[in-house]
Amino acid sequence: MTLLPPLPLSSGLHARQLDCNDTTLSYHIIEAGNKGSPLLILLHGFPELAYSWRKIMPSLAAAGYYVVAFDQRGYGRTRGWDARPFHQVDLKTFAQTNLVRDVIVLANALGYQTVNAIIGHDFGCVPASLCALARPDMFLSVILLGHPFFGIPTFAFDTNPQEVEVATRKDPQPDIHEELAKLPQPKKHYRWYYSTAPASDDMSSPTGLKDFLRGYFHLKSADARNNPQPITATTAQELDKLPHYYIMPLHLGMRDTIAQSMTSEEQTNMLQRSQRWLPDSDLQVYVDEFARTAFQGGLNWYRVSTDPALQRDLDIFAGKKIEVPCLFMVGTKDWLLHQTPDTVARMKKACKHFHGPIMVEGAGHWVQQEQPERVAEEILRFLKGDVRICNTDH
């Protein structure tokens, strides 16, 4: 096994491997604070790592918490996940319920039966939400940064098969991917692109990887020309309002999409501003890790999320609300809030005790890296109970 260089962590943060008999994984964790204090578990998104939480962990630990972030299944220095190529990997090992199991196993391995808060960012909000949904006895609250939770779809109730058949014939649902491809400037949805075989090869080449990741992080930040606006429907015309990193040119991969979006103006913005929140030394951690692991592990999460057959295990939670307090926080320049219509209203219906959204000025998608002090402040306020909880149970 190749010995990897230590991560550049600030004082008070420590990285180690944690092996456990209850899983194939050897977890790579970053921890802060004293074991025995109330536990917070932090779940990163794509294309990220446990390292993405480095800026807020010291503040949370100083407030009396034991704070643990880990490279999730498919990422970074966590080992033991199915790293076979696209057509050989067992996607069931990346099922969303298995991601929840990873967190439960980790908490137990750390010596905890309850977690004061499970905190997710981006795609990490999916297992965070499901942890709170499935095990409210174990996860006492949930905090979601950027990525919403809409609940598990309910089953058809008290239906008449003949009425369903007539309704289907009258109003067939258009294929959104076909509709996107028919736009005057043909497009495709990034989540379904990420689910295809070429996606990892497109992004993983070491040549130009640093420029690609620098551009990707910049374009989704508050430094770029992001002016998020709500969409009114999930139609091709409305989705076309989203930036190209979400609704991509049909015939481009993500690398070329990012390169095309990096206009001279954006290059200037990036050079002037990005170093303040993501200096080259920090960016190099992502470059080195993804040059070593490539992106397929993380992209397997998208493959599961776009395949209904791989999500049927969630049906047992159909119609169930998150019962524990839920805080939703998002950057004012983050388009993720507006990928679907009525985001906040739908979240309120899916969560019994919903608080938010907390809108973080000066932040785009990478909210805990762009504005770590504000994010840590809001998390601690929520954990102390100094928030307005909206009871949405009718």
Side-chain angles (χ1 to χ4, degrees), residues 66-216:
Y66 176 46
V67 190
V68 176
F70 72 102
D71 292 341
Q72 295 197 80
R73 180 180 295 265
Y75 290 89
R77 301 185 180 194
T78 287
R79 305 186 299 265
W81 46 273
D82 190 344
R84 289 178 296 176
F86 182 92
H87 294 291
Q88 298 176 27
V89 63
D90 180 3
L91 285 179
K92 291 180 181 179
T93 64
F94 288 88
Q96 291 172 0
T97 48
N98 207 34
L99 303 180
V100 172
R101 184 182 188 277
D102 289 343
V103 182
I104 293 173
V105 169
L106 173 63
N108 278 273
L110 292 168
Y112 286 80
Q113 293 182 325
T114 58
V115 180
N116 272 51
I118 182 79
I119 306 174
H121 171 249
D122 185 75
F123 219 151
C125 292
V126 173
S129 300
L130 294 175
C131 282
L133 183 72
R135 292 295 304 273
D137 61 315
M138 184 173 191
F139 301 96
L140 306 184
S141 64
V142 58
I143 299 171
L144 307 178
L145 305 185
H147 193 298
F149 172 75
F150 296 141
I152 309 302
T154 57
F155 296 119
F157 183 75
D158 195 20
T159 57
N160 181 322
Q162 291 180 338
E163 291 177 0
V164 172
E165 183 180 352
V166 171
T168 302
R169 286 202 305 268
K170 278 185 178 179
D171 188 23
Q173 295 297 311
D175 186 308
I176 190 61
H177 307 292
E178 292 180 3
E179 296 301 308
L180 285 169
K182 292 177 184 176
L183 290 170
Q185 295 183 3
K187 300 291 177 56
K188 62 188 173 190
H189 199 291
Y190 82 105
R191 287 178 59 214
W192 276 263
Y193 167 72
Y194 277 167
S195 302
T196 64
S200 182
D201 289 342
D202 165 38
M203 293 191 289
S204 297
S205 172
T207 304
L209 180 57
K210 185 173 184 178
D211 289 341
F212 165 60
L213 285 174
R214 172 60 80 188
Y216 192 91

Side-chain angles (χ1 to χ4, degrees), residues 234-371:
T234 310
T235 63
Q237 289 73 24
E238 285 292 294
L239 288 174
D240 200 26
K241 297 177 181 178
L242 273 64
H244 284 180
Y245 50 75
Y246 284 140
I247 303 300
M248 302 167 60
L250 180 62
H251 300 297
L252 293 184
M254 187 57 81
R255 271 214 190 192
D256 287 340
T257 295
I258 295 301
Q260 185 183 79
S261 301
M262 287 300 296
T263 62
S264 57
E265 180 181 359
E266 290 295 5
Q267 289 281 357
T268 300
N269 287 342
M270 182 183 71
L271 291 172
Q272 292 176 346
R273 302 175 185 175
S274 289
Q275 293 290 333
R276 70 178 170 78
W277 66 271
L278 188 64
D280 284 338
S281 56
D282 288 359
L283 176 65
Q284 193 62 45
V285 172
Y286 297 94
V287 174
D288 291 344
E289 291 300 295
F290 284 106
R292 183 175 57 82
T293 66
F295 291 91
Q296 190 60 64
L299 293 175
N300 287 335
W301 290 39
Y302 288 92
R303 297 174 67 190
V304 169
S305 73
T306 57
D307 186 342
L310 292 170
Q311 298 183 75
R312 287 191 184 133
D313 52 346
L314 297 176
D315 285 350
I316 59 174
F317 303 113
K320 189 178 188 297
K321 292 186 178 185
I322 288 180
E323 300 171 7
V324 300
C326 174
L327 174 66
F328 182 51
M329 193 180 335
V330 62
T332 57
K333 299 297 184 181
D334 189 356
W335 271 97
L336 187 54
L337 179 63
H338 300 301
Q339 277 201 43
T340 56
D342 303 321
T343 295
V344 174
R346 293 172 67 191
M347 286 194 73
K348 287 181 178 179
K349 291 181 179 179
C351 302
K352 188 173 182 180
H353 302 286
F354 178 80
H355 178 73
I358 302 294
M359 304 300 296
V360 180
E361 294 288 343
H365 184 61
W366 321 104
V367 59
Q368 81 274 31
Q369 297 198 65
E370 295 179 71
Q371 296 295 336

